[in-house]
Amino acid sequence: MRYRTVLFDADNTLLDFTRAEHDALCDCLTARGLPHEEEAISRYSAINDGYWKRLERGEVTRAALQVGRFADFIAEYGFSCDAATLAKEYMLALSTKSFLVEGAESLCRSLVPSCRLYLITNGTDWIQHGRFDPCPLAPLFSGVFISDSMGCEKPERAYFDMVTAAIPDFDPVSTLVVGDSLSSDIRGGIGAGLDTCWFNPHGKVAPPDIAPRFECRTLEEVGQVIRGA
């Protein structure tokens, strides 16, 4: 094996966040009798992604993100409901949505006899545990690091320093960071001096200032990188 320790991002790397977000928002809007056309769901997703990017840059707090994304969404569509209440309903619904990215379980099961697997994720502690703990991947992982309980976010160096300090006999040379986000997973891994693998199923183009060591379109390819094939 080329890498003996693998730090996997959660959302849209192993857990299907796109589906979870879609289903949770649909549940909340339907329960309130509000329209939930695909265009509105996509617009919320874009607003939410923008807030998470701002959180990564330290421009907003987690509390501001949780309510602000819904305040913007409600204002844009003219819905008559309270942003804080809708935010709570959404987060509760999201915590029950545990879906895997295709190939995630087979990849992790194939790696665990030879690798130590850890989950590194930005998110709210109880929501991420609600989604990850019931899934079949959970018993395969040696540890879970959620930014909410750590007090810092990917890509901050402090986040990665805390992760690596908590892993017994940590060896940076034999460790790989795998994730779909250039701005949090890849930038953070590079900043921590670790090899990185960008999971890029949609064929996006990386900006010139972020250069992952590896780029893969499928999780099967990620497995080949880890094994050194």
Side-chain angles (χ1 to χ4, degrees):
M1 300 291 281
R2 174 185 283 160
Y3 297 101
R4 294 289 181 175
T5 301
V6 185
L7 309 181
F8 276 110
D9 169 55
D11 288 324
N12 285 339
T13 300
L14 297 178
L15 297 179
D16 189 340
F17 179 77
T18 301
R19 179 182 174 189
E21 177 185 63
H22 178 280
D23 286 11
L25 188 57
C26 280
D27 288 353
C28 293
L29 295 179
T30 299
R32 287 180 163 271
L34 296 172
H36 53 275
E37 290 83 1
E38 291 303 312
E39 186 275 334
I41 302 297
S42 296
R43 181 61 190 136
Y44 166 79
S45 182
I47 293 171
N48 181 52
D49 185 64
Y51 267 92
W52 278 104
K53 292 292 190 296
R54 291 169 62 189
L55 182 67
E56 291 169 11
R57 297 191 297 266
E59 297 172 359
V60 296
T61 64
R62 180 177 298 276
L65 175 153
Q66 291 172 348
V67 177
R69 56 190 175 179
F70 283 99
D72 290 359
F73 178 63
I74 288 169
E76 189 165 321
Y77 283 88
F79 294 151
S80 297
C81 57
D82 177 66
T85 301
L86 186 58
K88 291 178 182 178
E89 293 169 352
Y90 167 79
M91 289 189 290
L92 182 60
L94 183 64
S95 71
T96 69
K97 308 299 183 184
S98 182
F99 309 119
L100 295 182
V101 171
E102 183 177 357
E105 183 176 359
S106 59
L107 170 63
C108 293
R109 289 196 182 281
S110 72
L111 294 176
V112 76
S114 305
C115 296
R116 296 185 299 175
L117 308 182
Y118 293 89
L119 198 73
I120 56 170
T121 176
N122 284 350
T124 302
D125 192 75
W126 63 272
I127 295 176
Q128 295 301 74
H129 275 299
R131 297 172 58 227
F132 184 72
D133 292 356
C135 85
L137 301 186
L140 308 178
F141 277 68
S142 299
V144 175
F145 299 96
I146 303 174
S147 62
D148 181 30
S149 58
M150 296 169 69
C152 49
E153 314 280 338
K154 297 181 291 181
E156 293 177 51
R157 180 60 186 263
Y159 175 92
F160 285 89
D161 285 347
M162 291 174 69
V163 169
T164 57
I167 296 175
D169 302 315
F170 179 77
D171 176 16
V173 175
S174 62
T175 298
L176 182 69
V177 175
V178 180
D180 71 302
S181 172
L182 287 169
S183 61
S184 63
D185 306 314
I186 306 307
R187 189 184 295 279
I190 292 172
L194 304 174
D195 283 354
T196 58
C197 179
W198 182 27
F199 177 52
N200 183 24
H202 303 298
K204 298 177 182 178
V205 178
D209 64 324
I210 306 180
R213 179 167 183 185
F214 305 100
E215 179 180 340
C216 297
R217 295 290 184 90
T218 67
L219 289 179
E220 182 178 359
E221 291 176 2
V222 172
Q224 292 171 359
V225 166
I226 294 168
R227 297 182 189 96

